[in-house]
Amino acid sequence: RHRKPVQQRGRVQSARSQQAGRPGIPGCTARRPHAPCPRVSMYLPRGASLLQLLLFLAARGRADSDNTTDVDQTHARILHNHTVMVHSISIPEVSAELEKTVIIDNPTTVELSCTLSVDLGSISEIEVSWKHGDNEINGTRSTINNTGHPWHTFYKFYIEDSRHMGNYSCIFKADTEMNATFHLKVPKVKGADKPMITYERDSVVMKCDSSKYNPVEWIWYKMNESNLVTLNESVMPSKYEVTRNRANETKLRILDLSADDSGLYMCEAVFKVGDVQSKIQLNVLSYLIPLKPFLAIVLEVIVLVAVILICELQTRKKQAQGEEKCETEQTEHLKPEDTNGVKSDSTRQRKI
């Protein structure tokens, strides 16, 4: 009794949606021309046939794939089942020298594009070319005929290894030369920002990571004067431990540290298109080093006390010598008086 009105309301709603320009069953029609079909939840009436359900899901799948293609085109273009990474630079002024860094971690096809958005007036021809480093790329020099602007050029190539990395420049030549440069680099590796300080007979852990990029291999080195010494567990298993819990991270643990372990360490991330290094400075200190300031203060106190004692002893010695001298003088002064007194007494006694 209640199913029929519900089905009618569903059909009326679907019809109104199609008339109003909203997505219906099986496809969708937008109000604005060329506008993408929005993703909305549809009410499917009870008793709908399996064919209607399949058509509805197919329509939503087409709408979702169209929206996904629009988003992906801002980063890459899929051509014959092969991804092409597209990077572009727009030159707004004649004197502008623009640069852009492009991170590449795996072999891929890259398309570099330059657009010159400068009104060159009556100039109808312009010469364009591309350079890899300081060398001009063969076959890229050409002349563009254009009555207006912007001027556009692109260079597409495949990056196989480190030989294809580096700086690529697009050059526009008219009355003046205008250029832009792409820096193709492997991902950076982050180590320790500051020197690491530890003490003898202790252990230390040094870490390097490559953010969201996964290198093929990690290698640790120690700078020994002008040579690089490879560090791994096979060389000294009781000294070094290399761990790699995640693909984008590596750790080096050094056990039983000594003063000889101080120096410059280097972690190297090996990608298919190039290598990159990061340096870490390690300083191993003796346990006596923190005591040096305290020992210096104690030594200063001892020296000061010794000086005070010596001065006190000298002062007392001088005072004792002065007292002895005074007593000696008094004794010598009293001896004649005592002798005179004795003689006079004896004389007096004899007279009596």
Side-chain angles (χ1 to χ4, degrees):
R1 182 179 301 177
H2 297 286
R3 288 182 180 177
K4 191 172 184 179
V6 172
Q7 292 177 359
Q8 290 177 354
R9 285 198 299 269
R11 291 173 186 153
V12 171
Q13 182 179 0
S14 177
R16 289 178 180 175
S17 299
Q18 291 179 353
Q19 293 174 1
R22 296 176 183 175
I25 302 174
C28 90
T29 304
R31 286 183 176 179
R32 296 173 296 175
H34 307 292
C37 299
R39 300 179 62 179
V40 295
S41 60
M42 291 295 298
Y43 172 77
L44 191 65
R46 292 184 181 180
S49 64
L50 180 60
L51 179 60
Q52 287 180 324
L53 178 61
L54 294 175
L55 291 175
F56 171 69
L57 295 177
R60 290 191 60 180
R62 287 196 301 269
D64 293 344
S65 63
D66 292 341
N67 292 337
T68 304
T69 302
D70 291 341
V71 174
D72 292 344
Q73 281 179 352
T74 60
H75 304 286
R77 184 172 69 248
I78 299 177
L79 183 63
H80 302 297
N81 296 327
H82 187 71
T83 303
V84 179
M85 304 301 297
V86 180
H87 300 275
S88 60
I89 294 179
S90 179
I91 305 175
E93 300 176 358
V94 175
S95 60
E97 294 185 2
L98 303 180
E99 298 180 352
K100 183 177 182 179
T101 300
V102 179
I103 303 299
I104 305 292
D105 63 329
N106 283 309
T108 184
T109 300
V110 175
E111 181 179 305
L112 305 178
S113 173
C114 292
T115 301
L116 180 62
S117 304
V118 178
D119 188 1
L120 300 178
S122 60
I123 297 177
S124 59
E125 292 185 352
I126 189 171
E127 186 181 79
V128 297
S129 61
W130 284 84
K131 283 186 176 182
H132 182 199
D134 296 330
N135 302 321
E136 182 177 332
I137 302 174
N138 295 330
T140 60
R141 181 178 293 273
S142 62
T143 302
I144 302 176
N145 297 322
N146 193 1
T147 56
H149 67 284
W151 309 81
H152 180 75
T153 181
F154 70 93
Y155 177 61
K156 186 170 67 174
F157 60 103
Y158 182 73
I159 297 178
E160 184 177 2
D161 50 33
S162 59
R163 296 173 301 169
H164 305 111
M165 302 292 284
N167 301 334
Y168 288 82
S169 302
C170 59
I171 302 171
F172 296 88
K173 286 185 179 180
D175 295 337
T176 59
E177 183 176 298
M178 297 149 284
N179 61 74
T181 303
F182 297 87
H183 301 283
L184 274 59
K185 299 180 179 180
V186 294
K188 291 183 178 180
V189 172
K190 182 180 179 183
D193 297 332
K194 299 179 180 179
M196 302 182 66
I197 300 176
T198 185
Y199 297 95
E200 293 179 343
R201 298 188 299 276
D202 202 351
S203 63
V204 66
V205 177
M206 294 180 284
K207 185 181 76 170
C208 292
D209 69 87
S210 56
S211 185
K212 60 182 180 180
Y213 302 97
N214 298 331
V216 178
E217 184 183 6
W218 287 97
I219 304 175
W220 283 93
Y221 300 98
K222 182 185 178 183
M223 182 70 72
N224 187 7
E225 295 179 356
S226 59
N227 300 323
L228 289 177
V229 180
T230 305
L231 306 177
N232 51 53
E233 296 176 347
S234 61
V235 177
M236 297 181 64
S238 61
K239 185 69 174 180
Y240 303 108
E241 293 181 2
V242 179
T243 58
R244 185 179 177 183
N245 298 328
R246 295 184 297 174
N248 62 341
E249 180 182 276
T250 180
K251 294 181 180 179
L252 173 65
R253 185 180 183 187
I254 306 176
L255 306 173
D256 192 18
L257 290 169
S258 63
D260 296 335
D261 294 321
S262 296
L264 187 64
Y265 291 80
M266 181 183 300
C267 61
E268 181 180 59
V270 181
F271 293 91
K272 293 182 179 180
V273 294
D275 308 333
V276 62
Q277 298 85 22
S278 180
K279 298 178 181 179
I280 301 175
Q281 178 66 39
L282 177 65
N283 297 328
V284 181
L285 307 179
S286 172
Y287 281 104
L288 295 177
I289 291 180
L291 298 177
K292 284 184 177 180
F294 175 75
L295 295 177
I297 294 173
V298 172
L299 182 61
E300 291 179 358
V301 172
I302 292 174
V303 171
L304 182 61
V305 171
V307 171
I308 293 173
L309 291 176
I310 292 172
C311 292
E312 185 69 20
L313 291 175
Q314 292 291 337
T315 303
R316 288 183 179 181
K317 186 176 181 180
K318 290 181 179 180
Q319 290 178 354
Q321 290 177 354
E323 291 177 357
E324 290 178 359
K325 185 177 181 179
C326 291
E327 291 178 357
T328 304
E329 291 178 354
Q330 291 178 358
T331 303
E332 292 177 352
H333 180 69
L334 291 174
K335 282 181 178 180
E337 294 181 354
D338 294 342
T339 305
N340 294 334
V342 172
K343 289 182 179 181
S344 61
D345 290 342
S346 61
T347 305
R348 288 177 183 175
Q349 291 177 1
R350 289 176 182 177
K351 288 181 180 181
I352 292 175

